Amino acid sequence: MARIGVFVCHCGENISATVDVARVASEAAKIPGVVHSVDYKYMCSDPGQQLVKAAIQEKGLTGVVVAACSPRMHEPTFRRACAEAGLNPFLCEMANIREHCSWVHEKGEATTHKAIDIVRTLVAKVKKNRALQPIKVPVTKTALVLGGGIAGIQAALDIANAGHKVILVEKEPSIGGHMSQLSETFPTLDCSQCILTPRMVEVAQHPNITLHSYSELEGLDGFIGNFKARIRRKARSLDEKLCTGCGLCTQKCPLRRIPSEFDAGLGLRPAIYVPFPQAVPNKPVIDREHCTYYRTGKCRLCEKVCPTQAIRFDQPDEIVEADVGAVVVATGFDIKHADFFPEYGYGKYKDVIDGLQFERLASASGPTLGEIRRPSDGKVPETVAFIACAGSRDPAKGIEYCSKICCMYTAKHAMLYRHKVHHGRPVVFYMDIRAGGKMYEEFVRRAMEEDGVQYVRGRVSRIYERGGKLVVKGADTLLGARPVELEADLVVLATAGVAQPGAEDLAQRLHVSYDAHRFYAEAHPKLRPVETNTAGIFLAGACQAPKDIPESVAQASGAAAKVGALFSQSELVREPLIAVVDRQAPPVYSSCSGCFLCQGACPYQAIKREEIRGRDGQLIKTVAKVNPGLCQGCGTCVALCRSKSIDIQGYSHEQVYSEVLALLNRGERDG
Amino acid sequence: MAEFDPKIVAFVCNWCTYAGADLTGTSRMKYSPQVSVIRFPCTGRIDFMLLLKAFAGGADGVIVSGCHPNDCHYSSGNFHARRRWIVFRGLLDFLGIDVRRVRFSWVSAAEGAKWAQLVNETVEQVRVLGPHRAYQRLRGLGVG
Amino acid sequence: MEALRNKARELLAAGTVKVVIGYGRGSGGAARAVFIRDAARSGALIYDDSCRQNLAVYLMKPEVRRLGKAALVASPATLRTVLQLAAENQVPEGGLLLLAPAGGEVAVLAELSAVEARVAAQDQDLGRAEREELARYEAMTLEQRRDFWQEQFARCIKCYACRAACPLCYCARCTVECNQPQWIPVPAHDLGNLEWNVMRAMHLAGRCVDCGDCSRACPAGIPLHLLNRRLIAVVRESFAVQAGRSAKSDNALSTFKPDDPEDFIR
């Protein structure tokens, strides 16, 4: 038999000014099952909480209803008080007679009546409440970091330095990401490789970090603290343990005319190659698509010259499985490439290039060894047009957003060009200059004022070739939209930053959501910027949105801190307000018929199929089962289940049904 | 005869509409006391059977409200709920039950004023429609 | 008819299936379901316009399942039912043969993809006659519809024949059997009858394949299929999907589109 205590709060005068609290308490006392009902000035104060605790112990209460403010305000307070008095905290409910009653209605009979109704509802509910135990899930203290660019490197190092194991997965043959391709970095103009390479080496040598380069995530199952990752190590076609990285094979490979990905297509590489000299790991990989042996069955020159016999032509991909407790997604971004700008002749004229290609031209390790020479004829360009917002902020192109990094790198490019070609003329076409950031505006000013970069505010409409020059046609909107025509030797497009080509596919494997542009979605745009909606999966860097290096690093450290906090405990404690599928004694086992409509509806992939087998191992039926680690307690499955075989703790069928009937003064038949 | 005071039951989600109604309170905006709120984790949890039970219990009108599309705390519970309501409305209408007695609305945690307006509008609408006698007559044997 | 009998005889004799579920001649000349386990009795099978029951309902009965692999004589509606059951995990791929009679021939369908192909050739959407019937009710005033259904449901005796006849009402435990809480009142009174029929229709929303067996089974003659048809129309108009067309499709109510209609939400 239920023994319910009702505690009506005056909240000073916040409630008692419009609600007759004494009458609420006396009416509540008449509800069947209520054995104790009092009102008090401040129920949340220490003496108020004492009233609750004392009544629990003296009257042996089996449930508590505190009629006061919103549960969003003080539910934790009173649940804690109940727990301290020895009552399971989930047997306590709040009747919101302040926000939903005394504050929103005039003083009077109707308002007091409503307060009584609210109390009656919650008494009916609490009678159906059950004692619940918090859910504890173990935590595997190993983090999986996807992507070995600067964000992934930073996250991996931070987590590893905190004393936890890290598995870093990079799809390219080397870590380093886009940052390793950059010449200098804004706003300090320090060399990108110089600040990045030591970090890459640290990753390679860190005892807590396992690096899988040239690898991709095949699948991820499980839930926070308990993921199981399957990683595909693509065949490098050599035994990494034997390879010393001497480089003989790459020098002897007779096929040397493959466009280098690292040099953004401006340089060439052999079929067996290391993407760049500082690569980590410094082991080559055979590009099976181009390699003569794979295409014709003849050659094997690398095998012949290898001093350690490390080449393995028949090496298969390897699948590695790993248990991890958290995942940091740092898979970065891409830029828009050819064919996106037919009006600019990009992809048609060799001397219309993108920002990454310019980085390679300006880089001392690049195809021109740092000299600015245009791709078509190798001449030093006299005039260079830099076009900002190529694709970005252009709804007609389907990219409404600002790519954020282009204003700054365009200023940097113009400066670098001027530093290398003193007599050269850099002209920047822009829409607006967005230089928010520490020392950023000063940097752009420097480009204009000290390096004499000419800035023209206006969109470029067309680029075409005329007599060996590229004619850039646009308008200067600061001079009354006067048409501008510039003869340039080289045009650099600051093309829009976009999501990685496989972003959607990876999101589906990770069960994280993404936005209309396929950038990964954070759990909250302001307050949870490094978390995804899937517990235990975090975001770092430009996979979430275009970002510069400092921002990517900051977010990576943020994600690492979140992982650290998760790993600081050996068990995760979660509220038990989750869905549960019916289980019964044989021969029924479960009222679930296994239609699995719930499975498709669950936003968290928390519903699994469980095979119920007899003693002889024969399959009796397949029914739904909720993974308590994944379920977040939305209850969508509950409302969908036709046979009411799923229920949700804390908002169970019995609880809400009783509430509805109590609200309508119909009472319950079984009291 | 005194003016008819309809009884309205509101089924709301915890994260948006319940919080929005809290904001109405903290902002001290006034609205009709004819409404009673039942809290759910998500609109996705709201079983159509509960709406029937509310009518059976004597409600003259029902409000169902949760997070705006794309704002769901559980990312998609409200989208599932929306489909369920589309179908349920289609059925009620076919059975001759006036769907104007069921008001669906998105109210965010920031829309305290919208909550007050929603309640007042629903009370007014149902007041015009009158008591839900057609349904209440069905209570027949009074068991249930 | 002969083709069907021959095919059944062949399948049973070869042991390909253990039972052929088909139609036979019952009392008063009416067609009734027969379960033929002996090849020699295949001659009892008939197939004509009187064969209207959706035999897929027997697939879900444990007593029938225990007989072993079945071949099922399948009308167009039965084919749709099988696809819907497959989409709901109730029919495993390869666990069943379907005998679809057409123009004196009989097609044997073993794979769900073959069933899909055959169903694809059927009319999409409700037929003209069905639409016109529905439109007649939709054209009534709200009060007329209310009175009509109250009159109909007043005759309901809660025998649940509609449930027993429906191949998609296969739940191991129906919600009417739940008493904690008691969702549907036990006695047959106006309120409980309405609640039961609303629940039945809602539980079939996005699932019903319009075989019409609920109405045929109803001893009170309530046109229950109208409720299902109305929801078939709503689901089709609102979500552009139809049940019983694919063995893999998600249910209309367990999925969503971000841009589903919401003009009624204010």
Side-chain angles (χ1 to χ4, degrees), chain A residues 70 72 75 96 100 103-105 114 604 634 644 651, chain B residues 14 18 22 29-31 35 39 44-45 47 57 74 80:
Chain A
S70 170
R72 300 172 60 83
E75 192 179 79
N96 184 349
H100 287 193
W103 276 350
V104 289
H105 307 314
K114 179 170 172 181
Y604 302 98
C634 68
K644 306 267 184 275
Y651 296 93
Chain B
N14 178 46
Y18 196 93
D22 276 0
M29 292 174 203
K30 302 288 182 243
Y31 59 83
V35 69
R39 183 163 70 127
R45 164 70 185 89
D47 191 330
Y74 304 102
H80 289 290

PDB file of all heavy atoms in Angstrom, chain A residues 70 72 75 96 100 103-105 114 604 634 644 651, chain B residues 14 18 22 29-31 35 39 44-45 47 57 74 80:
ATOM      1  N   SER A  70       9.396  24.438 -10.437  1.00  0.00           N
ATOM      2  CA  SER A  70       9.577  23.512 -11.556  1.00  0.00           C
ATOM      3  C   SER A  70      10.579  22.411 -11.202  1.00  0.00           C
ATOM      4  O   SER A  70      11.577  22.674 -10.538  1.00  0.00           O
ATOM      5  CB  SER A  70      10.087  24.285 -12.771  1.00  0.00           C
ATOM      6  OG  SER A  70      10.482  23.399 -13.781  1.00  0.00           O
ATOM      7  N   ARG A  72      12.625  21.362 -13.073  1.00  0.00           N
ATOM      8  CA  ARG A  72      13.881  21.768 -13.709  1.00  0.00           C
ATOM      9  C   ARG A  72      14.715  22.602 -12.750  1.00  0.00           C
ATOM     10  O   ARG A  72      15.892  22.833 -12.975  1.00  0.00           O
ATOM     11  CB  ARG A  72      13.590  22.546 -14.991  1.00  0.00           C
ATOM     12  CG  ARG A  72      12.801  21.717 -16.007  1.00  0.00           C
ATOM     13  CD  ARG A  72      12.358  22.556 -17.179  1.00  0.00           C
ATOM     14  NE  ARG A  72      13.488  23.125 -17.879  1.00  0.00           N
ATOM     15  CZ  ARG A  72      14.183  22.473 -18.802  1.00  0.00           C
ATOM     16  NH1 ARG A  72      13.833  21.256 -19.141  1.00  0.00           N
ATOM     17  NH2 ARG A  72      15.209  23.042 -19.376  1.00  0.00           N
ATOM     18  N   GLU A  75      14.241  19.598  -8.615  1.00  0.00           N
ATOM     19  CA  GLU A  75      14.102  18.147  -8.551  1.00  0.00           C
ATOM     20  C   GLU A  75      15.367  17.488  -7.995  1.00  0.00           C
ATOM     21  O   GLU A  75      15.290  16.641  -7.106  1.00  0.00           O
ATOM     22  CB  GLU A  75      13.745  17.577  -9.921  1.00  0.00           C
ATOM     23  CG  GLU A  75      13.313  16.116  -9.881  1.00  0.00           C
ATOM     24  CD  GLU A  75      12.939  15.611 -11.264  1.00  0.00           C
ATOM     25  OE1 GLU A  75      13.860  15.306 -12.045  1.00  0.00           O
ATOM     26  OE2 GLU A  75      11.733  15.558 -11.557  1.00  0.00           O
ATOM     27  N   ASN A  96       4.671  21.097 -10.013  1.00  0.00           N
ATOM     28  CA  ASN A  96       5.067  22.467 -10.341  1.00  0.00           C
ATOM     29  C   ASN A  96       3.879  23.421 -10.152  1.00  0.00           C
ATOM     30  O   ASN A  96       3.113  23.660 -11.074  1.00  0.00           O
ATOM     31  CB  ASN A  96       5.572  22.492 -11.783  1.00  0.00           C
ATOM     32  CG  ASN A  96       6.095  23.842 -12.199  1.00  0.00           C
ATOM     33  OD1 ASN A  96       5.913  24.835 -11.500  1.00  0.00           O
ATOM     34  ND2 ASN A  96       6.757  23.878 -13.347  1.00  0.00           N
ATOM     35  N   HIS A 100       4.042  26.948 -13.273  1.00  0.00           N
ATOM     36  CA  HIS A 100       2.878  26.550 -14.069  1.00  0.00           C
ATOM     37  C   HIS A 100       1.559  26.907 -13.397  1.00  0.00           C
ATOM     38  O   HIS A 100       0.509  26.515 -13.862  1.00  0.00           O
ATOM     39  CB  HIS A 100       2.923  25.036 -14.348  1.00  0.00           C
ATOM     40  CG  HIS A 100       3.967  24.664 -15.356  1.00  0.00           C
ATOM     41  ND1 HIS A 100       4.031  23.437 -15.952  1.00  0.00           N
ATOM     42  CD2 HIS A 100       4.983  25.371 -15.894  1.00  0.00           C
ATOM     43  CE1 HIS A 100       5.050  23.396 -16.800  1.00  0.00           C
ATOM     44  NE2 HIS A 100       5.645  24.556 -16.767  1.00  0.00           N
ATOM     45  N   TRP A 103       2.406  31.723 -10.553  1.00  0.00           N
ATOM     46  CA  TRP A 103       2.976  32.868 -11.260  1.00  0.00           C
ATOM     47  C   TRP A 103       2.192  33.254 -12.516  1.00  0.00           C
ATOM     48  O   TRP A 103       2.387  34.324 -13.056  1.00  0.00           O
ATOM     49  CB  TRP A 103       4.428  32.576 -11.654  1.00  0.00           C
ATOM     50  CG  TRP A 103       5.414  32.862 -10.551  1.00  0.00           C
ATOM     51  CD1 TRP A 103       5.176  33.500  -9.367  1.00  0.00           C
ATOM     52  CD2 TRP A 103       6.810  32.530 -10.558  1.00  0.00           C
ATOM     53  NE1 TRP A 103       6.326  33.577  -8.628  1.00  0.00           N
ATOM     54  CE2 TRP A 103       7.350  32.998  -9.327  1.00  0.00           C
ATOM     55  CE3 TRP A 103       7.654  31.891 -11.461  1.00  0.00           C
ATOM     56  CZ2 TRP A 103       8.702  32.848  -8.999  1.00  0.00           C
ATOM     57  CZ3 TRP A 103       8.995  31.736 -11.130  1.00  0.00           C
ATOM     58  CH2 TRP A 103       9.515  32.203  -9.911  1.00  0.00           C
ATOM     59  N   VAL A 104       1.367  32.353 -13.007  1.00  0.00           N
ATOM     60  CA  VAL A 104       0.740  32.623 -14.314  1.00  0.00           C
ATOM     61  C   VAL A 104      -0.775  32.808 -14.224  1.00  0.00           C
ATOM     62  O   VAL A 104      -1.420  33.073 -15.240  1.00  0.00           O
ATOM     63  CB  VAL A 104       1.068  31.511 -15.340  1.00  0.00           C
ATOM     64  CG1 VAL A 104       2.519  31.591 -15.763  1.00  0.00           C
ATOM     65  CG2 VAL A 104       0.757  30.136 -14.773  1.00  0.00           C
ATOM     66  N   HIS A 105      -1.324  32.629 -13.021  1.00  0.00           N
ATOM     67  CA  HIS A 105      -2.759  32.823 -12.888  1.00  0.00           C
ATOM     68  C   HIS A 105      -3.041  33.833 -11.769  1.00  0.00           C
ATOM     69  O   HIS A 105      -2.235  33.998 -10.849  1.00  0.00           O
ATOM     70  CB  HIS A 105      -3.448  31.488 -12.560  1.00  0.00           C
ATOM     71  CG  HIS A 105      -3.097  30.388 -13.522  1.00  0.00           C
ATOM     72  ND1 HIS A 105      -3.093  30.571 -14.884  1.00  0.00           N
ATOM     73  CD2 HIS A 105      -2.721  29.099 -13.315  1.00  0.00           C
ATOM     74  CE1 HIS A 105      -2.740  29.435 -15.470  1.00  0.00           C
ATOM     75  NE2 HIS A 105      -2.484  28.525 -14.543  1.00  0.00           N
ATOM     76  N   LYS A 114      -6.441  24.501  -9.499  1.00  0.00           N
ATOM     77  CA  LYS A 114      -5.453  23.970 -10.430  1.00  0.00           C
ATOM     78  C   LYS A 114      -4.260  23.399  -9.664  1.00  0.00           C
ATOM     79  O   LYS A 114      -3.747  22.324 -10.002  1.00  0.00           O
ATOM     80  CB  LYS A 114      -4.982  25.051 -11.406  1.00  0.00           C
ATOM     81  CG  LYS A 114      -3.930  24.512 -12.361  1.00  0.00           C
ATOM     82  CD  LYS A 114      -3.580  25.434 -13.500  1.00  0.00           C
ATOM     83  CE  LYS A 114      -2.385  24.870 -14.249  1.00  0.00           C
ATOM     84  NZ  LYS A 114      -1.953  25.714 -15.358  1.00  0.00           N
ATOM     85  N   TYR A 604      19.349   6.747 -31.538  1.00  0.00           N
ATOM     86  CA  TYR A 604      20.671   6.449 -30.974  1.00  0.00           C
ATOM     87  C   TYR A 604      21.178   5.047 -31.301  1.00  0.00           C
ATOM     88  O   TYR A 604      22.149   4.596 -30.718  1.00  0.00           O
ATOM     89  CB  TYR A 604      20.615   6.637 -29.447  1.00  0.00           C
ATOM     90  CG  TYR A 604      20.201   8.029 -29.084  1.00  0.00           C
ATOM     91  CD1 TYR A 604      18.891   8.325 -28.740  1.00  0.00           C
ATOM     92  CD2 TYR A 604      21.115   9.078 -29.153  1.00  0.00           C
ATOM     93  CE1 TYR A 604      18.500   9.619 -28.446  1.00  0.00           C
ATOM     94  CE2 TYR A 604      20.739  10.369 -28.872  1.00  0.00           C
ATOM     95  CZ  TYR A 604      19.431  10.635 -28.517  1.00  0.00           C
ATOM     96  OH  TYR A 604      19.051  11.910 -28.241  1.00  0.00           O
ATOM     97  N   CYS A 634      14.419   8.973 -24.831  1.00  0.00           N
ATOM     98  CA  CYS A 634      13.427   9.843 -25.480  1.00  0.00           C
ATOM     99  C   CYS A 634      12.053   9.201 -25.495  1.00  0.00           C
ATOM    100  O   CYS A 634      11.039   9.894 -25.462  1.00  0.00           O
ATOM    101  CB  CYS A 634      13.849  10.213 -26.901  1.00  0.00           C
ATOM    102  SG  CYS A 634      13.845   8.848 -28.085  1.00  0.00           S
ATOM    103  N   LYS A 644       2.991  -2.596 -26.693  1.00  0.00           N
ATOM    104  CA  LYS A 644       3.431  -1.987 -25.424  1.00  0.00           C
ATOM    105  C   LYS A 644       4.494  -2.870 -24.768  1.00  0.00           C
ATOM    106  O   LYS A 644       4.474  -3.078 -23.557  1.00  0.00           O
ATOM    107  CB  LYS A 644       2.241  -1.785 -24.477  1.00  0.00           C
ATOM    108  CG  LYS A 644       1.088  -0.991 -25.096  1.00  0.00           C
ATOM    109  CD  LYS A 644       1.182   0.482 -24.800  1.00  0.00           C
ATOM    110  CE  LYS A 644       0.011   1.274 -25.321  1.00  0.00           C
ATOM    111  NZ  LYS A 644       0.142   1.680 -26.723  1.00  0.00           N
ATOM    112  N   TYR A 651       8.910   7.501 -17.045  1.00  0.00           N
ATOM    113  CA  TYR A 651       7.732   7.972 -17.777  1.00  0.00           C
ATOM    114  C   TYR A 651       6.981   6.743 -18.287  1.00  0.00           C
ATOM    115  O   TYR A 651       6.631   6.659 -19.461  1.00  0.00           O
ATOM    116  CB  TYR A 651       8.124   8.872 -18.950  1.00  0.00           C
ATOM    117  CG  TYR A 651       8.806  10.168 -18.552  1.00  0.00           C
ATOM    118  CD1 TYR A 651      10.194  10.252 -18.495  1.00  0.00           C
ATOM    119  CD2 TYR A 651       8.058  11.298 -18.226  1.00  0.00           C
ATOM    120  CE1 TYR A 651      10.824  11.439 -18.125  1.00  0.00           C
ATOM    121  CE2 TYR A 651       8.682  12.489 -17.862  1.00  0.00           C
ATOM    122  CZ  TYR A 651      10.064  12.546 -17.809  1.00  0.00           C
ATOM    123  OH  TYR A 651      10.675  13.723 -17.457  1.00  0.00           O
TER     124      TYR A 651
ATOM    125  N   ASN B  14       9.725  17.733 -22.158  1.00  0.00           N
ATOM    126  CA  ASN B  14      10.443  18.304 -21.025  1.00  0.00           C
ATOM    127  C   ASN B  14      11.387  19.425 -21.430  1.00  0.00           C
ATOM    128  O   ASN B  14      11.556  20.384 -20.708  1.00  0.00           O
ATOM    129  CB  ASN B  14      11.249  17.176 -20.368  1.00  0.00           C
ATOM    130  CG  ASN B  14      12.080  17.660 -19.195  1.00  0.00           C
ATOM    131  OD1 ASN B  14      11.586  18.394 -18.352  1.00  0.00           O
ATOM    132  ND2 ASN B  14      13.336  17.260 -19.140  1.00  0.00           N
ATOM    133  N   TYR B  18       7.939  22.377 -21.910  1.00  0.00           N
ATOM    134  CA  TYR B  18       7.850  22.472 -20.444  1.00  0.00           C
ATOM    135  C   TYR B  18       8.719  23.627 -19.953  1.00  0.00           C
ATOM    136  O   TYR B  18       8.302  24.428 -19.119  1.00  0.00           O
ATOM    137  CB  TYR B  18       8.285  21.158 -19.779  1.00  0.00           C
ATOM    138  CG  TYR B  18       7.870  21.055 -18.319  1.00  0.00           C
ATOM    139  CD1 TYR B  18       6.679  20.440 -17.958  1.00  0.00           C
ATOM    140  CD2 TYR B  18       8.653  21.615 -17.308  1.00  0.00           C
ATOM    141  CE1 TYR B  18       6.281  20.370 -16.636  1.00  0.00           C
ATOM    142  CE2 TYR B  18       8.261  21.558 -15.977  1.00  0.00           C
ATOM    143  CZ  TYR B  18       7.079  20.920 -15.638  1.00  0.00           C
ATOM    144  OH  TYR B  18       6.686  20.859 -14.321  1.00  0.00           O
ATOM    145  N   ASP B  22       7.768  27.127 -18.166  1.00  0.00           N
ATOM    146  CA  ASP B  22       8.466  27.637 -16.982  1.00  0.00           C
ATOM    147  C   ASP B  22       8.830  29.105 -17.180  1.00  0.00           C
ATOM    148  O   ASP B  22       8.704  29.931 -16.271  1.00  0.00           O
ATOM    149  CB  ASP B  22       9.754  26.832 -16.730  1.00  0.00           C
ATOM    150  CG  ASP B  22       9.486  25.542 -15.939  1.00  0.00           C
ATOM    151  OD1 ASP B  22       8.315  25.293 -15.592  1.00  0.00           O
ATOM    152  OD2 ASP B  22      10.460  24.804 -15.688  1.00  0.00           O
ATOM    153  N   MET B  29       3.885  36.113 -16.949  1.00  0.00           N
ATOM    154  CA  MET B  29       2.818  36.345 -17.930  1.00  0.00           C
ATOM    155  C   MET B  29       1.588  35.553 -17.482  1.00  0.00           C
ATOM    156  O   MET B  29       1.721  34.444 -16.976  1.00  0.00           O
ATOM    157  CB  MET B  29       3.235  35.864 -19.314  1.00  0.00           C
ATOM    158  CG  MET B  29       4.344  36.663 -19.937  1.00  0.00           C
ATOM    159  SD  MET B  29       4.845  35.872 -21.461  1.00  0.00           S
ATOM    160  CE  MET B  29       6.494  36.493 -21.637  1.00  0.00           C
ATOM    161  N   LYS B  30       0.424  36.103 -17.705  1.00  0.00           N
ATOM    162  CA  LYS B  30      -0.792  35.441 -17.231  1.00  0.00           C
ATOM    163  C   LYS B  30      -1.495  34.697 -18.369  1.00  0.00           C
ATOM    164  O   LYS B  30      -1.482  35.147 -19.520  1.00  0.00           O
ATOM    165  CB  LYS B  30      -1.762  36.479 -16.655  1.00  0.00           C
ATOM    166  CG  LYS B  30      -1.155  37.283 -15.500  1.00  0.00           C
ATOM    167  CD  LYS B  30      -1.027  36.441 -14.232  1.00  0.00           C
ATOM    168  CE  LYS B  30      -0.477  37.259 -13.076  1.00  0.00           C
ATOM    169  NZ  LYS B  30       0.813  36.803 -12.575  1.00  0.00           N
ATOM    170  N   TYR B  31      -2.062  33.549 -18.035  1.00  0.00           N
ATOM    171  CA  TYR B  31      -2.891  32.848 -19.013  1.00  0.00           C
ATOM    172  C   TYR B  31      -3.975  32.068 -18.291  1.00  0.00           C
ATOM    173  O   TYR B  31      -3.989  31.991 -17.059  1.00  0.00           O
ATOM    174  CB  TYR B  31      -2.061  31.977 -19.943  1.00  0.00           C
ATOM    175  CG  TYR B  31      -1.207  30.891 -19.316  1.00  0.00           C
ATOM    176  CD1 TYR B  31      -1.747  29.657 -18.979  1.00  0.00           C
ATOM    177  CD2 TYR B  31       0.158  31.100 -19.096  1.00  0.00           C
ATOM    178  CE1 TYR B  31      -0.956  28.659 -18.433  1.00  0.00           C
ATOM    179  CE2 TYR B  31       0.955  30.107 -18.550  1.00  0.00           C
ATOM    180  CZ  TYR B  31       0.402  28.888 -18.213  1.00  0.00           C
ATOM    181  OH  TYR B  31       1.178  27.905 -17.670  1.00  0.00           O
ATOM    182  N   VAL B  35      -5.840  24.931 -18.168  1.00  0.00           N
ATOM    183  CA  VAL B  35      -4.963  23.922 -18.755  1.00  0.00           C
ATOM    184  C   VAL B  35      -4.166  23.186 -17.678  1.00  0.00           C
ATOM    185  O   VAL B  35      -3.785  23.781 -16.684  1.00  0.00           O
ATOM    186  CB  VAL B  35      -4.006  24.595 -19.783  1.00  0.00           C
ATOM    187  CG1 VAL B  35      -3.008  25.500 -19.078  1.00  0.00           C
ATOM    188  CG2 VAL B  35      -3.269  23.551 -20.606  1.00  0.00           C
ATOM    189  N   ARG B  39       4.053  16.130 -18.266  1.00  0.00           N
ATOM    190  CA  ARG B  39       5.412  16.219 -18.776  1.00  0.00           C
ATOM    191  C   ARG B  39       5.873  14.874 -19.350  1.00  0.00           C
ATOM    192  O   ARG B  39       5.686  13.833 -18.722  1.00  0.00           O
ATOM    193  CB  ARG B  39       6.337  16.625 -17.627  1.00  0.00           C
ATOM    194  CG  ARG B  39       7.777  16.821 -18.028  1.00  0.00           C
ATOM    195  CD  ARG B  39       8.550  17.603 -16.965  1.00  0.00           C
ATOM    196  NE  ARG B  39       8.768  16.829 -15.748  1.00  0.00           N
ATOM    197  CZ  ARG B  39       9.974  16.660 -15.199  1.00  0.00           C
ATOM    198  NH1 ARG B  39      11.035  17.218 -15.738  1.00  0.00           N
ATOM    199  NH2 ARG B  39      10.102  15.961 -14.093  1.00  0.00           N
ATOM    200  N   GLY B  44       8.113  12.506 -28.988  1.00  0.00           N
ATOM    201  CA  GLY B  44       8.175  11.158 -29.542  1.00  0.00           C
ATOM    202  C   GLY B  44       7.590  10.117 -28.591  1.00  0.00           C
ATOM    203  O   GLY B  44       7.186   9.038 -29.019  1.00  0.00           O
ATOM    204  N   ARG B  45       7.540  10.423 -27.297  1.00  0.00           N
ATOM    205  CA  ARG B  45       7.032   9.486 -26.285  1.00  0.00           C
ATOM    206  C   ARG B  45       5.506   9.531 -26.201  1.00  0.00           C
ATOM    207  O   ARG B  45       4.896   8.647 -25.593  1.00  0.00           O
ATOM    208  CB  ARG B  45       7.659   9.846 -24.926  1.00  0.00           C
ATOM    209  CG  ARG B  45       6.992   9.253 -23.674  1.00  0.00           C
ATOM    210  CD  ARG B  45       7.205   7.759 -23.591  1.00  0.00           C
ATOM    211  NE  ARG B  45       6.497   7.136 -22.483  1.00  0.00           N
ATOM    212  CZ  ARG B  45       5.252   6.670 -22.545  1.00  0.00           C
ATOM    213  NH1 ARG B  45       4.556   6.790 -23.668  1.00  0.00           N
ATOM    214  NH2 ARG B  45       4.698   6.087 -21.514  1.00  0.00           N
ATOM    215  N   ASP B  47       2.002   8.864 -26.674  1.00  0.00           N
ATOM    216  CA  ASP B  47       1.205   7.803 -27.273  1.00  0.00           C
ATOM    217  C   ASP B  47      -0.161   8.393 -27.651  1.00  0.00           C
ATOM    218  O   ASP B  47      -0.782   9.085 -26.838  1.00  0.00           O
ATOM    219  CB  ASP B  47       1.053   6.731 -26.177  1.00  0.00           C
ATOM    220  CG  ASP B  47       0.483   5.433 -26.686  1.00  0.00           C
ATOM    221  OD1 ASP B  47      -0.297   5.478 -27.649  1.00  0.00           O
ATOM    222  OD2 ASP B  47       0.797   4.391 -26.095  1.00  0.00           O
ATOM    223  N   GLY B  57     -11.554  10.884 -20.287  1.00  0.00           N
ATOM    224  CA  GLY B  57     -11.601  11.366 -18.920  1.00  0.00           C
ATOM    225  C   GLY B  57     -12.342  12.677 -18.780  1.00  0.00           C
ATOM    226  O   GLY B  57     -12.504  13.177 -17.668  1.00  0.00           O
ATOM    227  N   TYR B  74      16.484  15.077 -28.514  1.00  0.00           N
ATOM    228  CA  TYR B  74      16.862  13.730 -28.933  1.00  0.00           C
ATOM    229  C   TYR B  74      17.019  13.664 -30.447  1.00  0.00           C
ATOM    230  O   TYR B  74      16.883  12.605 -31.036  1.00  0.00           O
ATOM    231  CB  TYR B  74      15.821  12.728 -28.447  1.00  0.00           C
ATOM    232  CG  TYR B  74      15.601  12.781 -26.952  1.00  0.00           C
ATOM    233  CD1 TYR B  74      14.490  13.417 -26.420  1.00  0.00           C
ATOM    234  CD2 TYR B  74      16.516  12.209 -26.076  1.00  0.00           C
ATOM    235  CE1 TYR B  74      14.281  13.478 -25.053  1.00  0.00           C
ATOM    236  CE2 TYR B  74      16.318  12.268 -24.705  1.00  0.00           C
ATOM    237  CZ  TYR B  74      15.206  12.901 -24.200  1.00  0.00           C
ATOM    238  OH  TYR B  74      15.009  12.958 -22.835  1.00  0.00           O
ATOM    239  N   HIS B  80       9.295  12.099 -35.542  1.00  0.00           N
ATOM    240  CA  HIS B  80       8.472  10.892 -35.470  1.00  0.00           C
ATOM    241  C   HIS B  80       7.080  11.245 -34.967  1.00  0.00           C
ATOM    242  O   HIS B  80       6.073  10.740 -35.464  1.00  0.00           O
ATOM    243  CB  HIS B  80       9.121   9.863 -34.550  1.00  0.00           C
ATOM    244  CG  HIS B  80      10.356   9.236 -35.137  1.00  0.00           C
ATOM    245  ND1 HIS B  80      10.296   8.373 -36.191  1.00  0.00           N
ATOM    246  CD2 HIS B  80      11.654   9.366 -34.832  1.00  0.00           C
ATOM    247  CE1 HIS B  80      11.523   7.995 -36.508  1.00  0.00           C
ATOM    248  NE2 HIS B  80      12.364   8.585 -35.698  1.00  0.00           N
TER     249      HIS B  80
END
